[in-house]
Amino acid sequence: MKPYHLAVVVLWLGLLVGSAVAQTQPLPTPDADGIIYVKVQPNDALWSIAARAGLTLPELLDLNNLTEDAIVQPGDLLIVGRVTPVPTETAVPSPTATRPAPTAVPTDSPSSTAICLGAFDDGNQNGQQDGNEPLKAGVVFTVFNDSAVVGNYVTDGVSEPYCLEGLTPGNYSVTRSVGATETLTTSGNWELVLAQNTVLTQLFGSFEGEAIMVEERETAVSPPTPDTTPVPAPTAEVASSSSSRTNNPFVWVSLVVLILIGSVLLFWARRTAQ
């Protein structure tokens, strides 16, 4: 066999192996514009990246405007596909209260290093799963570390929270899909630091339809405080005035003079009548 033919056979075998590996690798998630990227790993070549993505080498080169002699470096982002982005609705804040951000719940007795995820139908729109709020199916989660996608999961609404186990400690990011008629009540993204032998669990809430509006409560008006200042009785004032006049000598003198004048006038009137 000629060296040229041997090289072709080796390249073909490499493509087959790369395609098999690509089927076991989690698929990258489209961004908001519907573009699917992959990050170049150490020792990657253009043909191996194309094989993992299920593309031919010319297709990969055409998507990224590259030539066959182009050189890529670890960490570079390459386009491996485009899809039509799904329109999403902007989450409407509930008027009842400020919704809390998702909070990681560490497992009491972790047996591995894992991230556990789930989604629920937040009927009362308070950002927390209450006892009567069911799990939600059809939500797509994508988990990233600092360099690549480490897992994808679609909820079934029954078996959650679902745990990605066997992860290495480090920084991770979790994103969840949002349907066209769906409104989030918790953040759709989760940034976390995963420690060794730690299991972190997070449930993400959302609802369908219109936001619940709360009627304004009437402010209670306190009755006016009665004036308890005692008011002096008018009789006491009159009695005080009468007492002061009685104790005045001028009053007595005037009264005697009037009686005398009246007596004189009465006597004079009788004499004149005779």
Side-chain angles (χ1 to χ4, degrees), residues 35-73:
I35 301 176
I36 304 174
Y37 293 96
V38 296
K39 184 177 291 188
V40 179
Q41 304 299 314
N43 302 321
D44 267 351
L46 290 174
W47 64 267
S48 61
I49 296 172
R52 286 201 305 270
L55 302 172
T56 64
L57 181 58
E59 289 173 339
L60 179 65
L61 296 177
D62 183 60
L63 284 172
N64 294 274
N65 295 322
L66 298 175
T67 60
E68 293 186 3
D69 57 352
I71 299 175
V72 292
Q73 302 293 332

Side-chain angles (χ1 to χ4, degrees), residues 200-220:
L200 298 181
T201 302
Q202 178 59 53
L203 297 180
F204 294 74
S206 64
F207 67 91
E208 303 279 345
E210 297 181 356
I212 297 175
M213 303 299 295
V214 178
E215 296 181 356
E216 295 182 359
R217 298 179 179 178
E218 296 183 358
T219 303

Side-chain angles (χ1 to χ4, degrees), residues 233-252 255:
T235 55
E237 182 179 357
V238 172
S240 176
S241 300
S242 300
S243 176
S244 61
R245 289 197 298 268
T246 304
N247 295 328
N248 191 342
F250 178 77
V251 174
W252 286 106
L255 181 60

Side-chain angles (χ1 to χ4, degrees), residues 169-247:
N171 298 323
Y172 288 87
S173 299
V174 179
T175 62
R176 60 151 291 175
S177 63
V178 183
T181 60
E182 186 178 12
T183 301
L184 300 180
T185 58
T186 61
S187 174
N189 300 291
W190 181 24
E191 304 290 335
L192 66 144
V193 179
L194 187 63
Q196 183 68 37
N197 295 327
T198 300
V199 177
L200 298 181
T201 302
Q202 178 59 53
L203 297 180
F204 294 74
S206 64
F207 67 91
E208 303 279 345
E210 297 181 356
I212 297 175
M213 303 299 295
V214 178
E215 296 181 356
E216 295 182 359
R217 298 179 179 178
E218 296 183 358
T219 303
V221 179
S222 301
T225 303
D227 187 2
T228 58
T229 304
V231 179
T235 55
E237 182 179 357
V238 172
S240 176
S241 300
S242 300
S243 176
S244 61
R245 289 197 298 268
T246 304
N247 295 328

Side-chain angles (χ1 to χ4, degrees), residues 72-156:
V72 292
Q73 302 293 332
D76 291 346
L77 293 178
L78 295 179
I79 300 174
V80 296
R82 289 187 174 91
V83 296
T84 302
V86 178
T88 59
E89 294 184 355
T90 303
V92 179
S94 171
T96 56
T98 302
R99 296 190 180 101
T103 302
V105 179
T107 301
D108 294 336
S109 301
S111 57
S112 64
T113 305
I115 297 174
C116 300
L117 304 169
F120 66 95
D121 188 0
D122 193 1
N124 60 11
Q125 304 174 19
N126 66 351
Q128 299 177 354
Q129 187 187 27
D130 298 319
N132 60 342
E133 293 177 336
L135 294 172
K136 191 177 186 68
V139 177
V140 181
F141 286 103
T142 304
V143 182
F144 306 83
N145 61 16
D146 290 335
S147 59
V149 175
V150 298
N152 288 325
Y153 176 69
V154 181
T155 62
D156 57 18

